[in-house]
Amino acid sequence: DMNEKKLPLNSLHLKLLAAASMLIDHMGFTLFPFAHWMRCVGRLAFPIFCFLIAEGCAHTRDKKRYAVRLLLFALLSELPFNLMCTGQWFSLQYQNVLWTLLLGALVCWAMDWAKTKPEMWQRLPADAAIAVGFILGQWGNTDYGGWGVLLVLLFYLTREVRGKWAIQLVGMFLFCWFCTPWRTELLAMPALLPIFLYNGERGLSNRAVQYGFYAFYPVHILILSVLAQYVF
């Protein structure tokens, strides 16, 4: 709509903001463990990535390729993520955030499929998909768990909804409250501000930019973790 077109931030701006926030967060986690402010700044990243995945799910022309790309980078990120979190290359105790985002995307598409089935009993698989996505996130101990999966779904289902700002505000608060026992997660709430300023446009986007953002996740984690483990 016309109001949206006047807003200042496109998809590229949101990606850059989220990536910068994530980098500061992970620098705080690996190299500067006493710099609590870095972890606080980092809280902004995840909700913005959830929003971008929801937008990607809505706009992609090839769902299978989109899912395979998320799966590929989730696999590539697992060893660096293990090293960052546990100091070991191999660990099953905690999985990286791309698994959470992949589960979120799959649940969004399950909801799409359900909308084409008007009868109530045919919608049960979609409800089951939400439950399965949540449980897999929790049991698999992915970053942000099942609550992260639900946050992707929140942004997806409210895309066209009137008064979506209020729903997203409440949903974000519930996510922040239940996601972890640490109330620091409430500092993710301001992430809604850039999301509300999104104008629906992609900005600069080509394959190099697209894959560059995916690759940034495992590459920066690997560099920081190697520095923390073997240099400092």
Side-chain angles (χ1 to χ4, degrees):
D1 61 32
M2 286 306 293
N3 289 341
E4 203 172 62
K5 289 285 179 269
K6 293 175 191 164
L7 295 171
L9 300 183
N10 61 37
S11 179
L12 180 66
H13 297 138
L14 292 182
K15 284 176 185 171
L16 289 167
L17 178 62
S21 167
M22 179 172 66
L23 176 61
I24 292 167
D25 185 36
H26 290 160
M27 285 174 70
F29 186 79
T30 52
L31 303 179
F32 308 104
F34 301 108
H36 187 59
W37 68 270
M38 297 180 95
R39 306 303 316 283
C40 295
V41 169
R43 310 283 40 87
L44 298 175
F46 181 68
I48 299 174
F49 282 127
C50 287
F51 176 78
L52 289 166
I53 288 290
E55 286 291 303
C57 285
H59 293 299
T60 185
R61 286 189 292 271
D62 189 339
K63 291 184 173 73
K64 188 184 283 185
R65 181 188 254 173
Y66 194 84
V68 167
R69 192 163 56 224
L70 276 168
L71 175 62
L72 174 67
F73 280 95
L75 290 167
L76 287 172
S77 302
E78 199 54 40
L79 293 183
F81 186 79
N82 289 340
L83 186 65
M84 180 173 78
C85 291
T86 67
Q88 308 288 322
W89 287 99
F90 292 98
S91 169
L92 292 174
Q93 69 184 60
Y94 202 41
Q95 321 321 319
N96 74 76
V97 78
L98 292 176
W99 296 109
T100 313
L101 298 178
L102 173 61
L103 286 170
L106 295 175
V107 172
C108 290
W109 291 325
M111 298 305 286
D112 273 352
W113 177 81
K115 282 180 193 165
T116 66
K117 311 287 178 190
E119 292 86 353
M120 185 59 204
W121 65 271
Q122 288 176 314
R123 297 200 52 162
L124 286 174
D127 299 330
I130 298 174
V132 169
F134 180 82
I135 290 166
L136 284 175
Q138 293 293 94
W139 280 358
N141 212 8
T142 64
D143 212 1
Y144 295 96
W147 296 103
V149 176
L150 295 185
L151 189 60
V152 177
L153 188 62
L154 169 77
F155 286 125
Y156 190 73
L157 293 181
T158 53
R159 288 182 70 255
E160 310 293 334
V161 174
R162 208 176 181 80
K164 63 182 176 182
W165 319 122
I167 301 168
Q168 289 173 358
L169 196 63
V170 173
M172 264 287 285
F173 178 79
L174 293 172
F175 160 77
C176 293
W177 192 262
F178 289 111
C179 177
T180 74
W182 301 287
R183 295 295 164 239
T184 314
E185 204 57 50
L186 287 166
L187 293 169
M189 292 295 292
L192 284 173
L193 192 59
I195 289 170
F196 291 165
L197 294 174
Y198 172 64
N199 59 21
E201 292 171 6
R202 288 177 77 172
L204 175 67
S205 183
N206 55 40
R207 191 155 284 187
V209 170
Q210 205 172 47
Y211 279 89
F213 275 107
Y214 278 101
F216 176 72
Y217 182 66
V219 168
H220 88 274
I221 288 177
L222 180 63
I223 291 168
L224 291 175
S225 304
V226 167
L227 284 174
Q229 284 292 318
Y230 304 114
V231 181
F232 296 111

